[in-house]
Amino acid sequence: MGEKRHRPRSRRAGHTVVHRGSVLPRRAAARRLRRPASGGSTSVSRRRRFIDYPRADRRGARRWLPSWRLLLGTTVVGCAALTGLFALVYVNVDIPRENAEARQQANVYYWADGSQMVSVGAVNRQNLPLSKVPASVRNAAIAAENASFYSDPGVSIGGLARALANMARGQDTQGGSTITQQYVKNTYLSQDQTVSRKLREFCIALKVDNQKSKDEILQGYLNTSWFGRGAYGIQAASMAYYGVPAQKLDPGRGAVLAALLKGANAYDPALGKDNHRRAVERWRWILDRQVELGMMSEKQRAKYTTFPEPRKQSTSTGLDGQTGYLVDVAKRYIKKHTDLTDADLDRGGYQIHTTFDKDAVRQLEASVTGVLKRDIDPRAREADRHVQVGAASVRPRDGAIVALYGGTDATEHFTNNADTSGVPAASVFKPFVLAAALQHGATADDGSVQPVSTDSFYDETGTLRSAGPLWMAERDGTVAGPQPAALSPFPSLRDAIVTSADTPLLLLGSDTGLEQVEDMAVASGMLKDSMAPRDTSFPLGTSTPSAIRVADAYASIAESGVQHEPYSVTKVLRNDVPVEGLQRPQPRNAMDPQVAAEVTSVLQGVPEITGAAAEAAGLGPFAAATTGANDTMRSAWFVGYTETLSTSVTMFRSTPGKPLLPMEGVGGEDSLRGSVFPRQIWTDYMTGLAPDLAADRG
């Protein structure tokens, strides 16, 4: 207690100041003494601020430099706030429903050989299970876009930061996102480049990664990504760039498609030299990257040194040419035989396998185009204007529609000439009058039914006689073939069919019964609603069946009288599940086999007299029916069949909303009302087909 307290001296001036037992430097003490206390007090004490900023104990610019404590505190508080905000957003953001575009797919139509015909829909996409995507294609996408895909949490914090920074600078935000984030953007969100959308993408990606397997995410990503050329998804892209399904992609082609994921507008090789250079560079990098990541060996990589050039970008609408007509026929068949409606088909996602033979369709189109270009000149002849052609091929053994010609172009001429009614069958209807007579007999004046043969004829009184001499006349009236000793002026039914004579068939139809004739035509394949009124001219072919139905009716004759309903679709799948209702109906007997054989025997004489046999030399024996000089209806037809194929061709003149125009003078005065041209189309088509389609089976 007796100790003296030593007072420290000021180091600067050698003075000391004592305040409440403390020794302070003079300058600091003076500052405190000058600051008035609250409430008017002169106390030098002051209340300490919670955040000392600007700093009270600094002067000048140094006041605005935060202390390390303030920096640390601000960082901690900021991180905590961001964490809390993210937690709040994460809790309140749910995985939304897939957007409409992500769900929408195209309907894909396939040729009979399984190759793709066309993809139809607002969005060109066909979803594939991951198991059908080659491993090399999956690896290429992962190597190109997200090497750590199978190990990361589905998001990239660095990528998000870069995207937000780029967004702030007004630059492109693409890049830096994981495959999961890109899948989320494609499937659940819009393509808007905003901060809020990017944050939602980040949160949803975390949740998706927790709820879905990596394979599910990769599958969704490959099915929703944009590859350019109107193609969404790897399947559509494979068809657009290489014309093959994704299952057939090799590592080289897969790497090209993976390069497009960075931006098809910059990496489609067909879009200029710069694009091609970038595509090749990135293609090489993706292959090398797979080696680096252990996805591909050096030996495998060495196989792919030449850039696999994609095919040129098509300007086709997909439904131009004959394709639109084929799709039209297939859609009608589906709607008739299943529960699917237009609305169902418009939603897409169906794989539709058809009966159409690619080569046959192209050959038929080439044959029609060739004859029209050679012989029909609308600029030179008024009669050649508004000429239309329809044609169809049906397989006798099962009714499959192998090919058709619906018009010049489905995007310009919308009516399908192969599947339209309104064109009279004319003389190609007459063989069914004969078939009905052979099947049921003819009714005599006394009411008795007498059998009919192809040698039967009508005498001058209109009475049916059981037999008659050989009689055959050329168009100019001269006799062709062996002449009998006593030539009868009355043609046999055989000769009446071959020469398209009218009177014998009118009488035969009346004696057989017009109802029996109609039933025979319908049983053979023509539609009931295409039948004309059963008046006196009915046997001459006033009915208007389509080219498809005429071909099918003759296919029934070729198949020994067995009729198969014509069909164009073999199966329809959605998500690999078959659509029900496409089971084909059981065949039915349209006529007795011996009747079919007799009709074929008669029709085998038509090619000889018309010249078709010479034009189709090498095809082998075939039977045919045709219109000719005696036909006065406004249509020209030729129908021919072998055991493997029945094909009908019709020509007519039409303008929308008006009756058919006359056929006189079409292609010149010697064209027999245009009848020579369907024959020429038929022979050119059949001789141009592969032998297994055109020739006899036996």
Side-chain angles (χ1 to χ4, degrees), residues 124 226-231 240-242 264 268-270 310-314:
N124 181 18
W226 165 252
F227 287 85
R229 299 193 181 186
Y241 285 87
Y242 291 106
D268 184 344
R311 61 183 185 177
K312 293 181 179 179
Q313 187 167 2
S314 173

Side-chain angles (χ1 to χ4, degrees), residues 357-378:
D357 184 279
K358 185 190 329 182
D359 295 331
V361 170
R362 291 173 179 171
Q363 179 61 52
L364 183 55
E365 181 179 25
S367 297
V368 173
T369 303
V371 170
L372 292 179
K373 184 177 181 180
R374 183 188 67 205
D375 297 312
I376 305 299
D377 188 354

Side-chain angles (χ1 to χ4, degrees), residues 462-534:
T463 302
L464 184 66
R465 302 298 183 183
S466 61
L470 177 66
W471 185 95
M472 187 178 294
E474 287 280 18
R475 301 184 192 90
D476 59 4
T478 61
V479 176
Q483 298 183 32
L487 184 63
S488 169
F490 308 113
S492 68
L493 296 179
R494 174 187 296 272
D495 299 328
I497 292 290
V498 171
T499 60
S500 299
D502 288 345
T503 302
L505 274 301
L506 283 172
L507 295 171
L508 183 64
S510 177
D511 289 348
T512 303
L514 298 182
E515 185 175 358
Q516 298 275 38
V517 173
E518 180 180 301
D519 289 345
M520 175 60 70
V522 171
S524 298
M526 298 184 193
L527 293 178
K528 178 78 172 179
D529 58 12
S530 71
M531 294 292 103
R534 293 197 295 263

Side-chain angles (χ1 to χ4, degrees), residues 62-134:
R62 296 179 63 192
R63 295 183 65 210
W64 303 99
L65 294 176
S67 67
W68 66 268
R69 292 184 181 88
L70 181 60
L71 287 174
L72 178 61
T74 301
T75 302
V76 170
V77 171
C79 289
L82 287 175
T83 302
L85 178 62
F86 175 76
L88 182 64
V89 172
Y90 183 83
V91 169
N92 286 280
V93 171
D94 294 323
I95 299 177
R97 293 185 62 186
E98 293 182 355
N99 58 50
E101 289 186 0
R103 294 194 303 270
Q104 192 169 10
Q105 300 181 59
N107 292 323
V108 186
Y109 292 80
Y110 297 91
W111 295 105
D113 63 4
S115 61
Q116 182 171 316
M117 178 199 305
V118 68
S119 174
V120 179
V123 176
N124 181 18
R125 174 180 22 243
Q126 307 102 56
N127 289 340
L128 279 184
L130 194 64
S131 60
K132 292 188 177 180
V133 180

Side-chain angles (χ1 to χ4, degrees), residues 45 226 291 300 331 521:
S45 65
W226 165 252
V291 175
Q300 289 174 308
K331 282 183 66 176

Side-chain angles (χ1 to χ4, degrees), residues 447-599:
S448 63
V449 177
Q450 66 181 95
V452 176
S453 74
T454 58
D455 291 328
S456 299
F457 71 98
Y458 282 91
D459 64 16
E460 69 276 6
T461 67
T463 302
L464 184 66
R465 302 298 183 183
S466 61
L470 177 66
W471 185 95
M472 187 178 294
E474 287 280 18
R475 301 184 192 90
D476 59 4
T478 61
V479 176
Q483 298 183 32
L487 184 63
S488 169
F490 308 113
S492 68
L493 296 179
R494 174 187 296 272
D495 299 328
I497 292 290
V498 171
T499 60
S500 299
D502 288 345
T503 302
L505 274 301
L506 283 172
L507 295 171
L508 183 64
S510 177
D511 289 348
T512 303
L514 298 182
E515 185 175 358
Q516 298 275 38
V517 173
E518 180 180 301
D519 289 345
M520 175 60 70
V522 171
S524 298
M526 298 184 193
L527 293 178
K528 178 78 172 179
D529 58 12
S530 71
M531 294 292 103
R534 293 197 295 263
D535 56 21
T536 55
S537 63
F538 180 76
L540 301 184
T542 54
S543 297
T544 57
S546 68
I548 291 175
R549 287 292 175 168
V550 169
D552 184 65
Y554 276 84
S556 300
I557 302 174
E559 193 64 11
S560 300
V562 177
Q563 191 267 341
H564 294 271
E565 193 67 11
Y567 72 102
S568 56
V569 177
T570 57
K571 62 181 176 180
V572 176
L573 304 174
R574 198 172 198 277
N575 299 325
D576 287 335
V577 177
V579 173
E580 295 183 357
L582 292 172
Q583 298 80 8
R584 294 196 298 278
Q586 292 296 315
R588 61 182 180 181
N589 293 318
M591 62 189 78
D592 292 340
Q594 58 269 31
V595 171
E598 280 294 302
V599 174

Side-chain angles (χ1 to χ4, degrees), residues 335-405:
K335 289 187 292 182
K336 181 179 179 181
H337 292 86
T338 72
D339 293 331
L340 296 180
T341 63
D342 281 323
D344 295 325
L345 292 171
D346 287 345
R347 279 191 284 270
Y350 294 95
Q351 293 82 49
I352 300 163
H353 295 260
T354 73
T355 60
F356 305 126
D357 184 279
K358 185 190 329 182
D359 295 331
V361 170
R362 291 173 179 171
Q363 179 61 52
L364 183 55
E365 181 179 25
S367 297
V368 173
T369 303
V371 170
L372 292 179
K373 184 177 181 180
R374 183 188 67 205
D375 297 312
I376 305 299
D377 188 354
R379 293 172 297 181
R381 286 183 293 268
E382 175 70 25
D384 286 5
R385 296 180 183 179
H386 311 299
V387 169
Q388 299 289 334
V389 174
S393 289
V394 172
R395 193 164 57 206
R397 64 179 169 85
D398 62 356
I401 303 173
V402 174
L404 59 82
Y405 179 87

